[in-house]
Amino acid sequence: MSRPLQGVLLQLVALALFVTMDALLKVLVASHAVPQLMFVRFVFHTLLVMAALKLLTGKVPFRSRAPGLQTLRSLCLATANAALSVALIHIPLADATAVAFAAPVLTVALAAVWLGEKVSPRRWLGCAIGFAGVLVALRPPFLTGEPLHWAMLLPLVTAVANTVYQLLTRKLAAVDDPHTTFVHTSIAAAVVTGLAQPFVWETPAAADWPLFAALGLLGGAGHCLLVLAFARAPASVLAPMSYTQLLWAGLAGVLVFGDWPDGWTAIGAAIIAAGGILVALPERRRAG
């Protein structure tokens, strides 16, 4: 099996794990406070990453050359997850996932502004198409004639936070060893959500602890598999595959919650995917 194919398969498994985590999260937010779920998720995530690094490399590299950026990156992940968790209390999984997929095209736009990356007209067109898809998935009143549910805006917060998270990941790649970034991914998030526990903590039933652990294990394993995928295949090959998560989310919504995606979600998701794939396609090299 070729390395690029290995990368694609690893990414598909990672995306399936993320959707499984989101579906489990939607089940748990019905009976547990969001800050408590975030706290246990990030604690188990941190423990998994540290244990894996210790086992595979013999060390856990804490020291960062940019601790402030590492902290900000971790807090962005916490913000993204918190916004999505609250959204899942009120709206279907497929709807939240579709709107949150503004992140890939938003990353391209902000990378041009913040990191000074060159963006071709074709990729700007892909960004515009992607944002149009997000607008459709949001079901604005001028399209549907119905009032916009406030919770539909929360996945946009998730998209913005994930965008900054991805840009900080790129920036830190030139500063810190990837293993150091792995370690710091969920530490600040665990600390900040831990501050809320005196106000929200309720002792879980014994049967809930495996589910709590699964949140962290699914998230941590998914992130590790993504890193392995990008080590085997170029981003231009993997980026279009990320939109399969929209399909997994729709399938999970139907099988677990009985939520069939409506026409606006399906059309919006298709437009978002088309724009994202247009952005992800590699640039043609000029002859000469």
Side-chain angles (χ1 to χ4, degrees), residues 49-101:
V49 170
M50 288 183 177
L53 286 174
K54 185 67 174 178
L55 181 64
L56 296 174
T57 69
K59 59 182 180 180
V60 180
F62 283 103
R63 183 169 296 180
S64 167
R65 295 186 181 91
L69 291 181
Q70 292 285 9
T71 299
L72 179 59
R73 177 176 174 271
S74 182
L75 293 179
C76 284
L77 182 62
T79 301
N81 279 266
L84 184 63
S85 299
V86 176
L88 289 175
I89 298 174
H90 304 282
I91 61 177
L93 176 61
D95 290 9
T97 303
V99 176
F101 257 85

Side-chain angles (χ1 to χ4, degrees), residues 6-17:
Q6 291 177 19
V8 168
L9 292 177
L10 286 169
Q11 188 196 30
L12 291 177
V13 174
L15 296 175
L17 292 180

